[in-house]
Amino acid sequence: MATPEAGNLADWVGAVGITAALLLGLHLLRRDREADVAAQADQVSVWRSWQLRPSQHDPHTADVFAQLHIANHSLGLIILPRVYTWIPSDGEVGQEFALEDLPPDSAEVIEVPVVDPRVKLCSVLSFKDRRGKTWFKDMYTQKVIHGRKVRRRIVAIKRAKLKWLAQQYRPPAAMLADAADQAMSS
């Protein structure tokens, strides 16, 4: 039986070491790149606070408002920020609040009237970072979230808003009848 020569064994060990170093380098590069992509989303702060004000209708009671705070602490612009709110146990779809793009070191506050403060109000911020990636942050946990349920809820809110807009801009039946009569007489 032949024994390996010392030079061949050293070459083999060197090749394994170089391969391991390349794989480790690629892994570290990928990890740093993923951290860089999430860096802007991590520098966006979202939180909720509660505000009580005397009711306009009854001075002895107070109206409750949820104040939804969005602050951009990153160096880049936050594009198309939207806040979606809904009550999980309620059959209603929810609301969408569109904001202007948030420049670096700026903040925005949205007030949402709350009928019953004991009911859980779900609030999610959706925005695009400077690379065009869409992020979702939960206002309650202040964490980036990934979930099909949240995406489905946001799609339902957008569809309901489009349906409502279509109903608002639908011409009355009398106008449609007049337009049809004019088209027939021409």
Side-chain angles (χ1 to χ4, degrees), residues 97-130:
F97 300 94
L99 302 167
E100 296 291 323
D101 293 346
L102 280 177
D105 292 324
S106 63
E108 193 73 38
V109 177
I110 299 170
E111 286 193 342
V112 179
V114 178
V115 177
D116 186 358
R118 296 171 293 176
V119 174
K120 181 181 176 186
L121 179 70
C122 292
S123 305
V124 172
L125 171 69
S126 167
F127 64 94
K128 291 182 184 261
D129 64 9
R130 65 181 174 258

Side-chain angles (χ1 to χ4, degrees), residues 64-186:
V64 180
F65 292 88
Q67 289 186 326
L68 309 176
H69 303 265
I70 301 104
N72 181 8
H73 303 290
S74 72
L75 297 176
L77 183 70
I78 292 177
I79 304 164
L80 298 173
R82 303 277 187 268
V83 175
Y84 299 93
T85 62
W86 68 90
I87 298 171
S89 61
D90 194 2
E92 290 198 23
V93 176
Q95 290 181 300
E96 174 186 21
F97 300 94
L99 302 167
E100 296 291 323
D101 293 346
L102 280 177
D105 292 324
S106 63
E108 193 73 38
V109 177
I110 299 170
E111 286 193 342
V112 179
V114 178
V115 177
D116 186 358
R118 296 171 293 176
V119 174
K120 181 181 176 186
L121 179 70
C122 292
S123 305
V124 172
L125 171 69
S126 167
F127 64 94
K128 291 182 184 261
D129 64 9
R130 65 181 174 258
R131 293 187 172 123
K133 181 173 172 60
T134 301
W135 296 92
F136 298 100
K137 286 197 94 164
D138 189 343
M139 294 268 187
Y140 183 71
T141 63
Q142 301 182 22
K143 293 183 180 180
V144 173
I145 55 175
H146 312 280
R148 294 179 193 259
K149 286 184 179 180
V150 170
R151 290 180 193 271
R152 275 191 244 140
R153 179 63 81 155
I154 289 171
V155 167
I157 291 171
K158 287 181 178 181
R159 284 184 182 156
K161 186 175 180 181
L162 289 174
K163 185 177 178 182
W164 180 82
L165 285 172
Q167 290 173 349
Q168 298 302 312
Y169 294 108
R170 183 176 293 150
M175 288 178 63
L176 290 174
D178 290 342
D181 288 342
Q182 287 178 357
M184 297 283 268
S185 63
S186 297

